[in-house]
Amino acid sequence: MVNYAVDNDARFVVRDFQKSKTFSSFLPGIAGLHGIPLWAFYVNRGQGIASFGIQDKDGAIMEFQPAHKAYQLTPTQGFRTFLKIPSDGFVWEPFGSPGTENDTMMVSANKLTVETAHPELGLVVRVNYFILPNEPFAALVRRVTIQNKSTWARDLEIVDGLAQLLPFGLDNMGYKAMGYTLKSWMDVENLDHDIPFYRLRASTADVEEVSGIEAGHFHLSFIHQGGLCQRAKPIVDAELIFSDDTTLKEPLGFFGSSLAELLTQSQVTTNKVPSAFATASLRLEQGETVDVVSMIGHTGDISFINQSAEALTSLDFIVEKEREAEAIARELASRVKTHTSQPIFDAYCAQSYLDNALRGGIPMVMASNPPGKKFVYHVYSRKHGDPERDYNAFSIAPTYYSQGDGNYRDVNQNRRLDVLFNPEVGTWDIETFVNLIQTDGYNPLVVKGSVFIVTDSSRLEDLVDEESRQRVQEFFRNPFTPGSLLMFLESPTVRPRVSPADYLAKALELAEQTIMADYGEGYWIDHFTYVLDLVQNYLAVYPDKLLELLLGERKYRFYDSPAFVRPRDEKCVLVQGVVCQRRAIAESSEKCAALAARGSDKHWVRTRHGNGEIYTTNLYSKLLALATLKLATLDPDGVGVEMEANKPGWNDSMNGLPGLFGSGFGE
């Protein structure tokens, strides 16, 4: 019965999806310029969502699992729905393992939907997921719609939600290694508002200084029926539902007790992995529908959610936000609007652009006030980290104008067309990636995105009231992003005298932009090859600026790293009588100390043996140096570039070649 199709709304539809070949994917992690993104991964098992969280794996709300475990655990540890017919005690679990031929999954650009039916009961269940856009907190929205298509009314008891929710404050590897021990720090609070708040009660490190944890994850649910919305009563103690079944397969507690009885029992809210279930008892007339809506997310201040709960518990609000989330994705994808005789090809072009653009980020041109300075800032960037790429340490900033880390090659190759789509980008990408090339021709792996530095904030202190000026001084002591500044201006202890947009424009006038990067884990031989694409695409738009580009302003730098390639006589060793290359990269303690001693702009090569001004040159000189360095690393036959720095090219399955003096012809 498995069937794959693309419908008229350009959704990828999988019928009988739990019987189809396993696959994993992710929601795009975009929440609008003025929203806080979550990362969320899904698989075609259970109710879809396999894990989600804030910023990175350490901020998991639902534990991050590699693909093979996600396929196994999502049906039990993920979202669950139990519908009981009180008259006979029968309990139906929609999408319960192993699934039925009625299960359908629909994948949109910024939304995931699963749907199923029970023909004998006459019930149809549809679940929609999307990331809440343009709000000052992060949330995954889950809307469960239950429709009664039978010929008579149905009394229902509903238990719906997440079987396991990780409190905020855990680290991913620590929980995987010592999950049982770390349960002893877990707390659930705020049940008096029916909005559970999940966090560790304190830091968990074995040190003498213990710190508190203020932020946390939350679960807000409501029931919409007959035009009315009512807050749902939560269950955070999964034992009430599953009783002695520690596998979480069967809701033995719900089998044996009415929902009213369960809700009278005491819930254990500490020292155990909690759940996040919404509950409802209701009568569903023939043809009637009921919606169980949940927002599970993250906030730095639960009092804000408590105060906003009335506005948030509105189906009109949820429907509008769902449209908004879809519109954001459509607007981004529309940059490659395609009209051919094949709608499926048109949809492919849009989705392909969206996926690849997010790897490099969407360039925005930001202007100062008064006009005069322009900056290119990439939003929505993210490193792929889906369950099949479980090795990637992705990070998505939980701020407005969010950006995330990426690898040099990934970001570079996915920005090659920036200037073609937006000529205002100019030479920004060329400067970014050429500057990150070192004097030895290599480059740091991790590109963190750009930040802004204001060295004198006195003119910005006049734009807030007197009581806020000290906080402004403290804020601008560190690099900032546009999103972090806008969120800072929204904090209750800061009262600006101008609009946030005007304040940001003024800050940009006084700021300098710089790129942030880290050495990461090695030097690949192919990363430099994408730089020429940036140059060629720029010249395709500005062919008259060739000489200006190459020989113009001396604004190109060299990245300064403590990691260096050892000389050949230090890395060539005998392994069982065979000459091999080992431990090709070393880190200089002297360079580490020198970089740490610098006040700002630490990672740029300087004159006077590292103690002078930042060294600058033009693009031609830097490209000439790069070409000379790569020519010097050709293999003895002059055929390929030597893998002299412990890493091959992009194909990581070639990892053994550097140790065997491999070289790359493509490079």
Side-chain angles (χ1 to χ4, degrees):
M1 295 297 295
V2 175
N3 177 266
Y4 303 94
V6 175
D7 67 12
N8 293 332
D9 295 322
R11 297 180 301 182
F12 177 57
V13 180
V14 186
R15 302 192 185 282
D16 201 5
F17 68 86
Q18 297 204 68
K19 303 291 180 62
S20 67
K21 184 178 179 180
T22 54
F23 69 85
S24 64
S25 190
F26 50 83
L27 294 176
I30 52 177
L33 294 180
H34 294 89
I36 312 296
L38 287 173
W39 52 267
F41 304 116
Y42 61 86
V43 296
N44 60 325
R45 292 295 183 267
Q47 295 198 31
I49 296 295
S51 59
F52 65 103
I54 190 79
Q55 188 159 348
D56 53 30
K57 294 175 186 175
D58 291 340
I61 299 173
M62 181 180 175
E63 182 184 0
F64 178 86
Q65 300 286 4
H68 69 295
K69 288 190 175 181
Y71 304 141
Q72 175 187 2
L73 298 176
T74 299
T76 52
Q77 295 185 9
F79 285 101
R80 310 283 293 275
T81 305
F82 302 108
L83 304 178
K84 179 191 277 189
I85 311 297
S87 59
D88 57 16
F90 176 76
V91 176
W92 174 44
E93 181 182 2
F95 312 102
S97 184
T100 72
E101 62 185 28
N102 298 312
D103 296 346
T104 300
M105 174 176 281
M106 290 159 277
V107 178
S108 304
N110 203 15
K111 186 173 72 171
L112 176 68
T113 302
V114 291
E115 182 177 282
T116 193
H118 195 300
E120 288 78 18
L121 293 178
L123 296 177
V124 176
V125 177
R126 170 178 287 218
V127 184
N128 281 333
Y129 300 99
F130 64 92
I131 294 171
L132 186 70
N134 293 319
E135 292 293 330
F137 60 91
L140 177 71
V141 179
R142 167 182 163 89
R143 178 185 175 189
V144 181
T145 302
I146 305 167
Q147 183 178 15
N148 180 12
K149 287 193 171 183
S150 69
T151 56
W152 54 84
R154 287 284 188 192
D155 290 321
L156 290 178
E157 292 182 348
I158 303 171
V159 174
D160 177 87
L162 192 58
Q164 290 193 345
L165 191 155
L166 298 186
F168 181 67
L170 293 168
D171 72 272
N172 179 57
M173 297 308 295
Y175 182 68
K176 282 179 165 43
M178 299 190 303
Y180 187 83
T181 299
L182 292 174
K183 290 192 300 181
S184 302
W185 279 265
M186 296 183 181
D187 273 349
V188 184
E189 307 164 7
N190 205 50
L191 286 180
D192 53 330
H193 288 85
D194 290 333
I195 307 174
F197 187 52
Y198 306 80
R199 60 181 173 178
L200 302 190
R201 69 178 67 92
S203 59
T204 61
D206 261 346
V207 294
E208 74 280 2
E209 185 177 354
V210 177
S211 58
I213 295 174
E214 299 300 323
H217 306 319
F218 72 91
H219 171 219
L220 169 63
S221 293
F222 67 91
I223 311 297
H224 176 268
Q225 185 181 20
L228 300 176
C229 292
Q230 182 178 358
R231 194 85 56 81
K233 285 291 182 182
I235 292 180
V236 300
D237 185 354
E239 192 171 338
L240 268 62
I241 298 167
F242 296 99
S243 187
D244 299 325
D245 188 355
T246 54
T247 69
L248 304 182
K249 289 182 179 178
E250 301 290 344
L252 300 182
F254 192 35
F255 284 155
S257 303
S258 69
L259 184 55
E261 290 170 335
L262 289 182
L263 292 175
T264 62
Q265 296 182 31
S266 297
Q267 300 194 56
V268 177
T269 61
T270 188
N271 298 347
K272 65 191 304 185
V273 180
S275 61
F277 284 103
T279 64
S281 296
L282 51 88
R283 185 175 181 83
L284 204 57
E285 299 294 338
Q286 177 186 356
E288 190 181 11
T289 63
V290 62
D291 292 290
V292 182
V293 181
S294 298
M295 279 175 274
I296 302 181
H298 179 86
T299 181
D301 182 5
I302 191 59
S303 64
F304 175 81
I305 303 297
N306 290 339
Q307 294 163 10
S308 307
E310 185 175 351
L312 297 174
T313 53
S314 159
L315 191 63
D316 289 341
F317 171 80
I318 297 299
V319 170
E320 180 56 35
K321 286 297 178 180
E322 183 176 339
R323 291 184 186 135
E324 197 175 320
E326 292 186 280
I328 292 170
R330 280 198 305 270
E331 189 278 327
L332 293 175
S334 68
R335 302 174 184 213
V336 291
K337 194 71 174 178
T338 311
H339 293 284
T340 69
S341 62
Q342 299 296 324
I344 192 170
F345 176 77
D346 302 340
Y348 165 79
C349 290
Q351 186 63 47
S352 182
Y353 172 80
L354 180 62
D355 288 344
N356 286 280
L358 294 179
R359 290 285 293 278
I362 305 294
M364 292 181 56
V365 179
M366 310 180 74
S368 64
N369 184 23
K373 295 175 73 174
K374 285 187 176 181
F375 303 94
V376 177
Y377 185 78
H378 286 78
V379 295
Y380 303 145
S381 56
R382 60 170 297 159
K383 182 192 292 188
H384 56 55
D386 60 86
E388 291 183 351
R389 293 175 176 86
D390 47 10
Y391 50 83
N392 266 330
F394 60 85
S395 180
I396 305 175
T399 64
Y400 302 158
Y401 291 81
S402 178
Q403 60 178 354
D405 294 356
N407 289 347
Y408 182 97
R409 176 205 297 120
D410 301 339
V411 181
N412 192 345
Q413 66 185 1
N414 284 289
R415 289 188 186 175
R416 285 178 289 183
L417 300 183
D418 276 2
V419 71
L420 300 181
F421 284 104
N422 186 350
E424 280 192 278
V425 169
T427 61
W428 166 255
D429 288 323
I430 298 174
E431 293 174 40
T432 296
F433 293 101
V434 170
N435 280 346
L436 289 176
I437 292 175
Q438 302 164 180
T439 54
D440 60 3
Y442 293 104
N443 55 269
L445 172 66
V446 181
V447 178
K448 292 188 170 183
S450 61
V451 295
F452 296 83
I453 298 172
V454 169
T455 54
D456 180 9
S457 64
S458 58
R459 291 166 62 186
L460 296 171
E461 295 164 25
D462 296 336
L463 301 180
V464 298
D465 67 3
E466 291 188 9
E467 295 178 358
S468 306
R469 293 181 180 180
Q470 182 63 36
R471 290 212 61 201
V472 169
Q473 288 181 14
E474 295 170 357
F475 178 83
F476 285 110
R477 284 177 188 150
N478 299 306
F480 69 94
T481 65
S484 67
L485 175 56
L486 291 174
M487 292 183 69
F488 169 73
L489 296 173
E490 286 185 359
S491 60
T493 55
V494 177
R495 288 175 287 277
R497 291 173 172 168
V498 297
S499 70
D502 288 343
Y503 196 102
L504 173 60
K506 188 65 176 179
L508 293 178
E509 179 199 354
L510 305 174
E512 294 297 328
Q513 189 176 14
T514 187
I515 193 74
M516 302 289 285
D518 269 341
Y519 159 71
E521 58 195 68
Y523 294 139
W524 280 258
I525 65 165
D526 67 319
H527 284 195
F528 75 95
T529 62
Y530 301 98
V531 168
L532 194 57
D533 292 337
L534 297 175
V535 173
Q536 290 174 331
N537 285 337
Y538 174 82
L539 293 175
V541 178
Y542 299 105
D544 55 320
K545 294 188 177 182
L546 173 62
L547 292 181
E548 180 184 337
L549 174 68
L550 293 177
L551 302 172
E553 190 177 353
R554 294 175 61 94
K555 57 184 177 181
Y556 290 89
R557 306 174 174 188
F558 289 88
Y559 188 79
D560 205 1
S561 173
F564 65 94
V565 182
R566 292 179 187 271
R568 183 174 297 173
D569 60 349
E570 294 181 16
K571 62 186 177 182
C572 293
V573 298
L574 285 176
V575 178
Q576 298 179 351
V578 178
V579 180
C580 296
Q581 189 171 232
R582 297 288 188 271
R583 297 178 293 280
I585 301 296
E587 190 171 283
S588 166
S589 57
E590 182 181 355
K591 176 59 71 69
C592 286
L595 296 179
R598 295 174 181 170
S600 61
D601 283 334
K602 298 175 183 289
H603 286 279
W604 300 113
V605 168
R606 295 169 181 259
T607 59
R608 296 176 52 216
H609 302 286
N611 298 310
E613 299 296 319
I614 294 173
Y615 177 78
T616 59
T617 186
N618 59 31
L619 177 61
Y620 184 85
S621 297
K622 192 150 191 194
L623 292 180
L624 179 61
L626 177 62
T628 305
L629 286 162
K630 296 307 173 183
L631 185 66
T633 59
L634 288 181
D635 59 27
D637 292 324
V639 172
V641 175
E642 290 181 331
M643 300 176 184
E644 59 155 8
N646 262 7
K647 297 292 183 182
W650 65 270
N651 189 350
D652 290 343
S653 64
M654 300 294 184
N655 274 334
L657 287 184
L660 305 176
F661 301 97
S663 59
F665 174 76
E667 289 72 28

